[in-house]
Amino acid sequence: MVPGAILWLFLSLNCLLPSAKSQAKIPLETVKSWADAFGGEIYFIMTKYSGSLLLQKKYKDVEPTLKIKEVDGLELVKKFSEEMESMLGRKVEAVERLVEAAEDADLNHEFNSSLVFDYYNSLLINEKDGNDNYVELGDELILEPNEHFNNLLVNTTYSDVQLPTNVYNKDPDILNGVYMSEALNPIFVDNFQRDPTLTWQYFGSSTGFFRLYPGIKWMPDENGVISFDCRNRGWYIQAATSPKDVIIVVDISGSMKGLRMTIAKYTIITILDTLGENDFVNIIAYNDYVHYVEPCFKGILVQADRDNREHFKQLVDELQAKGVGTVNKAVLESFKILREFREAGQGGLCNQAIMLITDGAVEDYESVFEKYNWPDRKVRVFTYLIGREVTFAENVKWIACNNKGYYTQISTLADVQENVMEYLHVLSRPMVINHDHDIIWTEAYMDSALPQSEELFASQAQSLLLMTTVAMPVFSKKNETRSHGILLGVVGSDVPLRELLKLAPRYKLGVHGYAFLNTNNGYILSHPDLRPLYREGKKLKPKPNYNSVDLSEVEWEDQDEILRTAMINGETGYLAMDVKVPVDKGKRVLFLTNDYFFTDISGTPFSLGVVLSRGHGEYILLGNTSVEEGLHDLLQPDLTLANEWIYCITDIDPDHRKLSQLEAMIRFLTGEEPDLECDEDLVQEVLFDAVVTAPMEAYWTALALNMSDETEQGVETAFLGTRAGLMRSLLYVGSEKLLNRKFLTLGDKESIFTMDHFPLWYRRAAEHPPGSFIYSITSEEGSEGGGKPEVVTVSTSVAVTVDGKTAIAAAVGVQIKLELLQRKFWMAMRQPNDTDCSGVDGVCPLSCQDDNLNCFLIDNNGFIFISKGSTEIGKFFGEVDGSVMTQLLNMGMFRQVTMYDYQAMCKMPYHHHSGARPLLSPIYTFLAAVKWLISDFLVFLLEFNICGFWHSDNLADAKSVFHHSHKHKKHDMLQPCDTEYPVFVYENTIKETNGLIECGDCQKMFVAQQIANSNLLLLVTDAACDCSIFPPVLLEAKEVKYILLLSQRASVKCDRMRSQKLRRRPDTCHAFHPEENAQDCGGAAEISASLTLLLLALVTFALLLR
C-alpha cells in the first residue's frame, strides 16, 4: 500500500476514536462570514483601482464591431518556415561569395617565404609603446559601439586577424595566408550592405589565424593568453570533414608510465574535442587485455555528443599504465565494431577511423590489416607515437601509411594540438579533391570567446542566447596540389537564433503559444523552456550539456516521442497533447491542451514547431479603427509597447536603430519615415487596443488625485496589457515610495512582454475565470530584508465573445503592498465585541488574534500570504503545517502534481582528481609529476620538448589552474542531472472543507474556506493542539537516479547510456577519392632539448608562482 493511502487510513480511523483532549471548536459559519467579508473588501479595492470593470465594459461596447479569427496552425508553421528558409538562404549566399573570393585569391597568390606584410592584429591594434608610437601590427583601427553587434566596439570597414598565443604572428605561412585573405575585406563589407541582418563573418585558416569581420579588439585572458583557436571550433571541424566513426585505441602498458601516459591522455582529450553530434566514438585501452574505458559501451559506438565526450574524459583521466601491450587484439576488436556498425547501417555511415596512440609497435601487424581492412581500406588508421623513442617508429608509420591514415610523433604536451589536427586534413582530402562545397549548419552554441559575453548572458532571455553557424570549406584550386587535397580553411557566418525567431511573431501565437527549433539529431536549437545557463556564485555560466538538450527533455509529455520522431524525419504535421507547463520558476503549473504544428526548414538540418494552446490561444482578435483616432491615443504618456517585439524593422537602417518600437510606429503612421517596414496587421491591432484602453488613463488619474491616504494606502501601481503587446500603467504613489521598482521594467522580465513569453500576471490570469483576480506574492530580489515578500501582484483577464468564440483581449491589475492585504485581513478575521455569545461552547467573540487560533491566507498553490508568523510569509504551507496540508491532500482539496526537470544541476561531492580539467592545461599535470621528473630527469630530457613548451601558453595557464583548484577545494560541484519535484494545486470545485486530525493526545480542528473572486483560501486551525508528529510536506526536488532495484542499478544505468535515440544523418558523405595521395602520410621531426633552457624555464616558472 502506498504511504499516502496508509496515512489516509490512519487519519480516517483516528477521527472515529475518542480524543484524550477536547479540541478547540471553530464555528464554520464564522469562518465563512470572515471569508465573505474579506473577499468582498479586497474585490472592491481591486476592481476599483485596476479599473477592470471599466475595461471589460469598453471591450463589451465594441464587441459588435469585432471579428475573432481562428488561426490555421499548419498554414502558420509553413509560412514561418518559408520565411526562415529565405532568411537562412541569404546567409548561405554571403558565405558562398566569401568562399569564391578566398579560393580565387589563393589561386592568384604565389607563396613568398620572405614576405613582409603589416596587418591589423586584433590583439595589438591601437596599442602604443613607451614613445607613444603604435606597436608593430598594432596600427590605429577606429572602433565604435554598434547595436547590431551587441554594442561591442567594432569597425565595419575592415576585418582584423586573431591568432592564438602559440601561433607565431610572423610565421611565413601565416603572413602569406593573411596577405591572401585580405581579398575578403571588400566581400565582407559588400555582404553586410546587401544583407544588414548579417552578424559576424569570418575565415578560419588551416594554419591557425582567424580573420573576423567586423574588426574588433581581442582581449587576452587574465594570464595574458589567447587560447581561442578557430580550428578547434565546431563549425570548422564540421565543415572540414564528413561524419565519422572513430575508435581511439590507447596503449596503457607499463612502458607508457609517467609523462608518456599524460601526453596520451591529453591526445585523447584533444581528439574527443574534434568530434561533434554527427560523429560516433568509443575508446579502447590495451595492455595484457583489451579494456573498454566504459564497460557499458562494450562492442558499440556511441554518439559523440557533449554528454558522452565529457563522460569519456573523466574515465580517461583514471587510466593507469601497467602490464604488457598487445596491440593486435585491440586493433582487431576495433575493426570488428566498425564492420558490425557499417553492415547494420548504424553510426555515421561515412568515414571510419582507428586512432592508435602508443609508444611503439614491435611489428606492423600486416596480417591483421590484410584480413580486416584490405584491399578496400574502408577504415583509415591514424597513429600517434608518444615520446622521443624511435626504435619502433617505422612500424607505427607503416601502419598509418598503408591504411590511408597519417603518422605523427608527439614528444611533448605542446605538440599535441597541431599533430591531432592533421587527421582532419586527411579526412577532408576527398571533399577537397572533388571540390564539394558542402554547406553545414552547426548545433546551437553560445560564443563566450567574444568580449562582454557575461553581460550578454545577464541581459537576454536564456532561451535566446544561442546561435548557429553556417560554414563552407575553402580549397586550393591549384592543379599542382590537387591530389594532396589542400584545405585552406573554413568560411562562416553566425546566425543568432533570436533573429530567426523574430520571423515567428509572438502576437500570432497567443498567450501561451511559442515557436521552437530542433536539429536532425533531436537536439534543441531554440525553445522558451531551454535554460542553457546556471549560476555559480554570482556568475552565470553555460551548463556542460547546454547544447545537447533533447526535444524529449523539454517536451517531456511526448513520452512515446511521436512529436520528436516526426520532426527529426522532416515531416509536416499536427499533434495534440495535454501538457503541464511550469511557471514562476517551477512553483506553479498551468494545465493546457496544446496543438503542435511542425515542418522542416528546407536546405537545413532543422525543423520548426509552432505551439498554440487550445481555446482562446487559437483565436486572433481583429478590431478596426482609424489611424487618426488610434494615433491620438498612442501618444498618451502612460502607453508603451513590447520593445522586443517587431512592430517595425529598426535594425537594418542605422538611422532607425536608436528608435524604440513605439517611436518607430508613430513615425511610420505619421509618414515621417516612409522607408520603415512595419507589420501592418500588428500595427492595426495596436491602434485598436490604444483606442479601447484610452479611457483607463483618465480613470486611473482621477483615482490618484482623490485617493484616501488612510483607507486604501498601499495601492502602488495600476497596469494593463493587451494581446498586441500594448501596456498602460499609472503610479498611485511617488516612484520613490515604490517597494518593487523593477516591476514592469527590463529588470523584471517576468512582468513584461518579451520575445519568448507574455507577462506572468497575464498568463496566469488567462487561465482564471474573467473578472476573478489572481493574487501573486512577490519580493524584489536583492532588496533590503533578504528578499522578504513585500508586494502582491493582482490581475484578471478581460474576455470578449463573438459568434460563440471567446478570446482574451487583455489583462488588467494592480500591484499593492502586502501590508494593505494584511490590514484588511486582520480587520475581517474577528467577531464584533457585541456578538451574542449565549450558548457558544468556546471562545467568544472569536478572533484570529486569539492565541488558540492560527489563521492563514494561502493561494491556489499553497503559498502563504498572511500568517501570524512573519517568517512564514512566502513559504509553502506544507512546510509550516504538515498535518493540515496532508489532510487537505487526502481530502482532495489540494492535489500533488509531479513535474520533471531534465536540465537541472545537482551538487556532486568535489573530487580533487576531477574529470579532464588537469588534461586541459598540460602544465598542471607536468607539475603534479615533479617527483617523477626529478627521479627520471635524464629520461625526461630525452622525451620532453621544453622549447615547444616554453613558447606555448602552458606557463600562462599554470597559475590559473592552481588558483582554480585551490578555490574549489571546499565546494561541491554542480553537474547536470534530472530531477522530479512536486507542485501542489487547489481543486477549485471544493469551496470549503473542515476536519479533525488525531495528533496523539489531542485532536486538531481546521476549517478551509475559499475567498470568492480570487485564487485565495482562508485556513483557520487550532493552535493549541501540537501536531508536530506529522512531518512537513516539502517542495524539494529529488534527483532521478534511473534505478529500479539495487541489483539492477548497473544494468538500468547502462541501458540508458547505451540507448541510441532516433536521428537523421547529414545528406552528404565524402569518405574516399581515387586521386587521393595516400603516400602523404606524415613523418617525425627531430627536436632537441637544451638543459640550460630547461633550468631557466624551471627557475622562471618558480618565480611566476611566487
Side-chain angles (χ1 to χ4, degrees):
M1 188 178 291
V2 297
I6 294 171
L7 186 56
W8 167 238
L9 184 62
F10 169 76
L11 290 168
S12 303
L13 290 172
N14 279 328
C15 286
L16 301 175
L17 297 174
S19 174
K21 288 185 183 178
S22 61
Q23 73 281 359
K25 291 187 177 179
I26 305 171
L28 307 184
E29 303 79 10
T30 301
V31 175
K32 187 174 189 315
S33 67
W34 287 350
D36 290 344
F38 175 67
E41 179 77 5
I42 62 173
Y43 180 73
F44 172 77
I45 294 172
M46 302 314 154
T47 52
K48 176 180 177 181
Y49 287 97
S50 69
S52 60
L53 298 179
L54 173 63
L55 188 60
Q56 181 70 65
K57 180 180 183 303
K58 291 300 175 184
Y59 273 104
K60 192 74 175 174
D61 290 344
V62 296
E63 264 187 11
T65 68
L66 289 176
K67 291 181 181 178
I68 293 181
K69 177 185 174 185
E70 189 167 354
V71 179
D72 185 331
L74 271 179
E75 182 184 329
L76 194 66
V77 75
K78 289 176 184 176
K79 180 173 182 269
F80 289 166
S81 172
E82 288 169 3
E83 291 174 352
M84 290 179 181
E85 178 190 342
S86 176
M87 184 260 215
L88 295 176
R90 292 195 296 274
K91 314 307 175 194
V92 171
E93 289 170 5
V95 166
E96 288 174 336
R97 285 192 287 270
L98 289 169
V99 168
E100 184 179 358
E103 291 183 348
D104 287 347
D106 174 70
L107 187 62
N108 297 320
H109 175 71
E110 291 291 333
F111 185 86
N112 181 357
S113 59
S114 58
L115 178 66
V116 177
F117 175 65
D118 286 337
Y119 59 91
Y120 286 119
N121 183 302
S122 62
L123 178 65
L124 301 174
I125 55 170
N126 301 331
E127 296 286 332
K128 293 186 176 182
D129 59 20
N131 299 320
D132 202 35
N133 296 319
Y134 288 108
V135 300
E136 194 175 14
L137 303 182
D139 282 347
E140 180 182 20
L141 185 67
I142 297 171
L143 303 174
E144 297 175 332
N146 191 307
E147 249 184 275
H148 188 65
F149 295 94
N150 298 318
N151 284 316
L152 293 175
L153 296 172
V154 299
N155 184 302
T156 54
T157 306
Y158 296 100
S159 62
D160 59 8
V161 174
Q162 175 270 342
L163 297 101
T165 299
N166 62 342
V167 175
Y168 180 43
N169 59 26
K170 285 194 170 182
D171 182 278
D173 286 334
I174 295 295
L175 285 177
N176 277 269
V178 171
Y179 179 80
M180 176 273 291
S181 65
E182 284 282 303
L184 298 181
N185 264 322
I187 312 301
F188 284 140
V189 175
D190 182 57
N191 278 344
F192 191 41
Q193 289 173 347
R194 290 187 190 205
D195 180 6
T197 65
L198 276 173
T199 56
W200 306 101
Q201 304 173 67
Y202 39 81
F203 169 63
S205 167
S206 60
T207 57
F209 74 83
F210 181 60
R211 181 176 286 280
L212 177 66
Y213 174 88
I216 191 171
K217 176 75 173 175
W218 205 285
M219 303 303 293
D221 65 18
E222 57 192 11
N223 299 299
V225 171
I226 293 183
S227 57
F228 177 89
D229 188 328
C230 62
R231 296 168 298 177
N232 292 338
R233 307 297 279 186
W235 52 265
Y236 184 100
I237 295 165
Q238 202 173 325
T241 63
S242 296
K244 45 199 171 290
D245 298 337
V246 173
I247 296 183
I248 302 171
V249 178
V250 59
D251 183 352
I252 57 169
S253 62
S255 63
M256 289 287 288
K257 280 184 178 177
L259 187 63
R260 292 183 182 180
M261 194 73 246
T262 299
I263 294 172
K265 290 180 180 181
Y266 186 42
T267 302
I268 297 172
I269 300 301
T270 307
I271 293 172
L272 287 172
D273 284 338
T274 67
L275 304 179
E277 61 182 38
N278 287 320
D279 303 319
F280 287 75
V281 67
N282 205 338
I283 303 178
I284 293 175
Y286 70 90
N287 43 26
D288 302 277
Y289 305 97
V290 172
H291 316 265
Y292 286 85
V293 296
E294 172 51 82
C296 176
F297 295 159
K298 181 177 181 179
I300 66 167
L301 295 168
V302 295
Q303 193 171 6
D305 58 26
R306 186 178 291 262
D307 280 349
N308 284 332
R309 295 199 308 266
E310 293 303 313
H311 182 63
F312 274 130
K313 288 178 185 179
Q314 293 179 8
L315 296 171
V316 165
D317 189 36
E318 298 167 5
L319 292 176
Q320 295 181 347
K322 58 184 177 181
V324 179
T326 52
V327 64
N328 57 324
K329 293 180 181 178
V331 171
L332 193 149
E333 181 75 7
S334 302
F335 277 122
K336 179 183 174 185
I337 297 171
L338 292 171
R339 184 185 63 199
E340 287 176 357
F341 258 61
R342 185 170 64 242
E343 291 175 353
Q346 295 177 303
L349 291 184
C350 191
N351 288 290
Q352 290 195 320
I354 295 172
M355 309 295 200
L356 176 61
I357 302 168
T358 181
D359 63 347
V362 295
E363 58 175 292
D364 57 24
Y365 305 105
E366 181 175 352
S367 59
V368 174
F369 299 112
E370 186 174 13
K371 182 176 181 180
Y372 291 98
N373 203 37
W374 296 352
D376 295 334
R377 292 175 171 83
K378 291 181 179 178
V379 179
R380 296 180 188 266
V381 182
F382 297 88
T383 56
Y384 302 89
L385 182 65
I386 305 300
R388 297 278 303 166
E389 180 62 54
V390 295
T391 304
F392 301 112
E394 279 305 311
N395 288 336
V396 178
K397 182 176 180 180
W398 184 93
I399 291 171
C401 293
N402 284 276
N403 289 280
K404 291 190 174 180
Y406 200 87
Y407 158 78
T408 60
Q409 184 167 3
I410 304 178
S411 306
T412 76
L413 290 163
D415 293 340
V416 172
Q417 181 69 49
E418 291 295 328
N419 283 310
V420 166
M421 296 303 294
E422 291 293 345
Y423 98 86
L424 294 175
H425 298 150
V426 173
L427 291 186
S428 70
R429 284 177 189 164
M431 178 172 57
V432 177
I433 295 170
N434 213 36
H435 285 150
D436 288 321
H437 290 93
D438 290 344
I439 299 162
I440 67 98
W441 294 90
T442 68
E443 69 273 19
Y445 70 98
M446 60 180 70
D447 201 341
S448 55
L450 292 173
Q452 299 179 12
S453 57
E454 281 190 30
E455 291 89 332
L456 192 62
F457 289 169
S459 65
Q460 290 190 12
Q462 289 197 28
S463 58
L464 300 173
L465 281 171
L466 305 183
M467 64 179 68
T468 182
T469 291
V470 55
M472 290 178 68
V474 179
F475 312 138
S476 171
K477 291 181 177 178
K478 295 176 180 177
N479 287 329
E480 59 270 26
T481 60
R482 177 178 172 84
S483 66
H484 293 274
I486 295 176
L487 176 74
L488 299 175
V490 172
V491 159
S493 181
D494 292 341
V495 182
L497 296 170
R498 182 186 186 89
E499 297 302 312
L500 205 55
L501 288 177
K502 285 179 180 178
L503 301 175
R506 285 289 315 139
Y507 83 97
K508 290 187 177 181
L509 304 176
V511 182
H512 306 298
Y514 55 90
F516 65 93
L517 295 157
N518 66 282
T519 71
N520 59 301
N521 287 301
Y523 295 139
I524 289 296
L525 270 179
S526 181
H527 193 290
D529 291 336
L530 180 65
R531 306 188 315 276
L533 302 178
Y534 75 103
R535 189 171 292 280
E536 186 176 81
K538 294 183 178 180
K539 285 189 174 182
L540 284 170
K541 293 184 174 182
K543 294 175 182 175
N545 61 337
Y546 76 89
N547 65 349
S548 56
V549 176
D550 196 84
L551 177 61
S552 61
E553 294 175 330
V554 287
E555 298 291 351
W556 51 269
E557 305 274 9
D558 180 29
Q559 295 185 2
D560 294 329
E561 298 192 356
I562 298 171
L563 175 68
R564 183 185 186 278
T565 301
M567 293 190 70
I568 286 177
N569 289 332
E571 297 174 14
T572 298
Y574 153 82
L575 177 72
M577 276 196 292
D578 292 325
V579 298
K580 298 183 283 287
V581 180
V583 295
D584 198 9
K585 300 177 182 176
K587 291 190 294 186
R588 312 178 195 282
V589 63
L590 301 177
F591 298 92
L592 305 173
T593 298
N594 281 347
D595 289 325
Y596 291 78
F597 304 92
F598 48 85
T599 190
D600 69 326
I601 302 176
S602 182
T604 76
F606 308 143
S607 290
L608 169 67
V610 164
V611 180
L612 302 175
S613 58
R614 189 75 61 84
H616 62 77
E618 296 186 329
Y619 297 137
I620 289 183
L621 191 65
L622 302 175
N624 195 18
T625 190
S626 67
V627 171
E628 294 75 17
E629 188 179 8
L631 187 57
H632 172 268
D633 292 326
L634 267 181
L635 297 172
Q636 292 178 345
D638 69 326
L639 186 146
T640 60
L641 294 180
N643 216 40
E644 290 188 10
W645 290 19
I646 308 300
Y647 300 85
C648 299
I649 297 173
T650 58
D651 61 348
I652 292 181
D653 188 332
D655 293 334
H656 297 158
R657 286 181 186 150
K658 293 183 179 179
L659 296 176
S660 70
Q661 286 295 320
L662 180 57
E663 291 168 338
M665 185 186 294
I666 290 171
R667 293 195 182 195
F668 169 72
L669 292 170
T670 57
E672 291 180 52
E673 295 282 353
D675 294 336
L676 270 169
E677 186 180 338
C678 298
D679 185 326
E680 294 189 11
D681 290 340
L682 182 53
V683 169
Q684 182 59 44
E685 286 192 37
V686 169
L687 290 175
F688 175 77
D689 287 342
V691 172
V692 177
T693 61
M696 299 298 287
E697 181 193 24
Y699 176 85
W700 288 336
T701 303
L703 280 178
L705 293 174
N706 298 292
M707 198 167 176
S708 165
D709 287 337
E710 295 180 5
T711 27
E712 279 125 29
Q713 186 179 15
V715 182
E716 294 198 339
T717 308
F719 57 87
L720 68 84
T722 74
R723 180 173 166 141
L726 177 148
M727 287 186 64
R728 293 183 184 272
S729 62
L730 181 132
L731 297 181
Y732 285 122
V733 297
S735 58
E736 72 284 353
K737 294 182 180 180
L738 285 175
L739 289 180
N740 185 3
R741 296 180 186 178
K742 291 183 180 179
F743 186 61
L744 304 182
T745 70
L746 288 171
D748 181 9
K749 292 223 168 198
E750 284 292 305
S751 69
I752 61 174
F753 292 90
T754 66
M755 265 194 74
D756 65 348
H757 62 70
F758 274 54
L760 181 57
W761 47 264
Y762 195 124
R763 296 165 71 194
R764 293 191 68 204
E767 297 310 308
H768 208 58
S772 179
F773 287 92
I774 280 278
Y775 292 74
S776 302
I777 192 164
T778 55
S779 61
E780 185 174 359
E781 291 183 12
S783 62
E784 294 181 14
K788 177 182 174 183
E790 295 181 305
V791 295
V792 176
T793 304
V794 189
S795 60
T796 186
S797 61
V798 177
V800 293
T801 301
V802 178
D803 297 331
K805 298 174 183 175
T806 300
I808 303 296
V812 61
V814 289
Q815 189 163 90
I816 63 173
K817 290 181 180 178
L818 177 60
E819 183 270 333
L820 169 60
L821 211 60
Q822 291 170 328
R823 187 158 24 97
K824 297 295 182 184
F825 181 82
W826 297 120
M827 285 175 61
M829 301 299 131
R830 62 187 181 195
Q831 290 177 311
N833 291 331
D834 59 355
T835 301
D836 180 7
C837 294
S838 58
V840 175
D841 180 13
V843 178
C844 183
L846 197 64
S847 168
C848 272
Q849 298 290 5
D850 295 342
D851 291 339
N852 65 337
L853 285 187
N854 279 331
C855 295
F856 301 91
L857 184 69
I858 67 173
D859 71 5
N860 59 322
N861 295 112
F863 291 97
I864 299 173
F865 278 60
I866 297 173
S867 168
K868 285 181 182 177
S870 60
T871 59
E872 296 171 352
I873 296 171
K875 290 184 177 179
F876 177 62
F877 178 70
E879 183 181 341
V880 173
D881 192 333
S883 63
V884 174
M885 192 68 214
T886 300
Q887 185 73 322
L888 291 174
L889 285 165
N890 286 324
M891 297 173 76
M893 194 169 201
F894 273 84
R895 65 186 171 104
Q896 178 179 325
V897 178
T898 300
M899 302 290 286
Y900 296 91
D901 182 1
Y902 296 102
Q903 302 174 69
M905 297 289 287
C906 298
K907 285 185 178 180
M908 304 290 178
Y910 178 78
H911 299 292
H912 184 67
H913 300 290
S914 66
R917 187 176 290 111
L919 301 176
L920 299 180
S921 192
I923 185 62
Y924 179 92
T925 316
F926 161 59
L927 289 170
V930 165
K931 184 177 179 181
W932 168 87
L933 185 151
I934 293 170
S935 62
D936 294 278
F937 193 67
L938 292 176
V939 178
F940 167 76
L941 281 177
L942 293 174
E943 296 187 348
F944 189 71
N945 173 11
I946 191 66
C947 300
F949 172 79
W950 180 254
H951 288 292
S952 74
D953 58 345
N954 300 322
L955 281 174
D957 279 348
K959 290 174 77 175
S960 168
V961 172
F962 280 122
H963 174 69
H964 186 83
S965 174
H966 172 74
K967 184 170 64 176
H968 285 284
K969 277 181 183 175
K970 297 181 181 179
H971 297 283
D972 288 335
M973 294 179 66
L974 289 172
Q975 293 186 2
C977 62
D978 298 342
T979 60
E980 63 177 26
Y981 61 94
V983 176
F984 295 89
V985 180
Y986 165 59
E987 292 289 355
N988 58 12
T989 55
I990 303 176
K991 307 296 182 186
E992 59 189 23
T993 192
N994 65 87
L996 294 174
I997 304 171
E998 184 66 39
C999 302
D1001 61 350
C1002 65
Q1003 285 184 321
K1004 180 173 185 173
M1005 183 178 184
F1006 69 91
V1007 178
Q1009 181 71 49
Q1010 186 186 71
I1011 306 293
N1013 298 309
S1014 77
N1015 65 321
L1016 301 176
L1017 287 167
L1018 169 62
L1019 267 176
V1020 182
T1021 70
D1022 176 8
C1025 180
D1026 179 9
C1027 234
S1028 56
I1029 60 171
F1030 283 82
V1033 179
L1034 303 176
L1035 293 176
E1036 291 178 343
K1038 296 180 180 179
E1039 184 178 358
V1040 180
K1041 295 289 188 179
Y1042 298 105
I1043 58 174
L1044 301 177
L1045 299 171
L1046 192 61
S1047 60
Q1048 296 173 302
R1049 181 190 302 263
S1051 63
V1052 173
K1053 181 182 178 184
C1054 183
D1055 288 345
R1056 178 172 166 80
M1057 291 172 66
R1058 289 173 65 99
S1059 63
Q1060 302 279 337
K1061 283 183 173 288
L1062 176 72
R1063 56 185 294 275
R1064 177 162 46 104
R1065 293 181 180 83
D1067 296 329
T1068 57
C1069 168
H1070 308 282
F1072 296 102
H1073 195 284
E1075 295 179 28
E1076 180 182 343
N1077 180 10
Q1079 297 309 306
D1080 181 7
C1081 56
E1086 293 294 324
I1087 304 173
S1088 62
S1090 162
L1091 178 59
T1092 307
L1093 186 56
L1094 171 62
L1095 294 173
L1096 177 62
L1098 293 174
V1099 171
T1100 307
F1101 182 67
L1103 291 173
L1104 281 171
L1105 292 181
R1106 288 182 64 183

